[in-house]
Amino acid sequence: MAEPTEVMGKTETLAWLRRISGDLATVTIKRLEDTLPWYAEMPPARRSAVGLVAQAGITSFIQWYDDPGSTPWIAADIFAVAPRELLRSVSLQQTLQLIRVTVEVTEERVAGKGEHLREAILLYSREVAFAAADVYARAAEARGLWDARLEALVVDSILTGEADEELPSRIAALGWHGHGEVAVLVGTTPPQFDVDQLRRTARKLGVDVLIGVQGSRLVLVLGRAEPPARAEDATSELPFAEIAKRLEPGFGTGHLVLGPTVPALVDASQSARA
């Protein structure tokens, strides 16, 4: 006979949670404004979007409490109400702060309603935190793939000399920090290509780099990075020939071809053609 009582208790709890969900959302928004400076400083539209995420989290908890097996779609349910750009303007750390505030408010409101309910909130908050991390990881992966495609397009435009008016904005979107002189370096793509290691080496040598892989050909567009803060650090003054020599381990077997130095990135096609 204990089971019907337990079921009835859960039914009553669900009804009560649904009745107070609006109040929970209101108190949560007020707590966000009072405790999270980054939230209070947001533009109204973006703040509203974050508030919608918090409200969706409360609604989703009630649904999850009714059916704990719904965990797989928690992330989609919560983040679906927010505009796409929210992931780019709100960091994972800020999202976790948002989850913590929402859980704190909910815990305070359900205090005394039974330990089982409090445990459910803690379990749910853990699942949402993992789900949020997964959402951000997927967004970062998608961003990385988009950047790689855009970078390949930019390098191809430089090689063919078919630059258009959109090339500067595409280069800016890739976070190009180069200034001044530019040179193009072409060699063989290694069997095990470590693009991150090549970028790290380039940074240590004081150059920014755009990387393009065209089958067996590896193309690097090298540009002088911002000068280092310390005047005695002269790595940015290395000639491109020396930079190419130090980057050689990142290429496959075969010759490296270094184009002549040109004044700016917009002139890089001249170095590539030469």
Side-chain angles (χ1 to χ4, degrees), residues 9-50:
K10 182 175 180 179
T11 301
E12 292 174 346
T13 301
L14 279 169
W16 176 72
L17 286 172
R18 291 187 176 108
R19 285 198 304 272
I20 69 167
S21 62
D23 291 339
L24 281 175
T26 301
V27 175
T28 298
I29 298 302
K30 181 65 167 61
R31 185 75 59 86
L32 291 174
E33 294 174 348
D34 294 341
T35 61
L36 300 180
W38 59 265
Y39 176 79
E41 294 169 1
M42 277 184 161
R46 198 164 294 169
R47 192 164 60 242
S48 175
V50 173

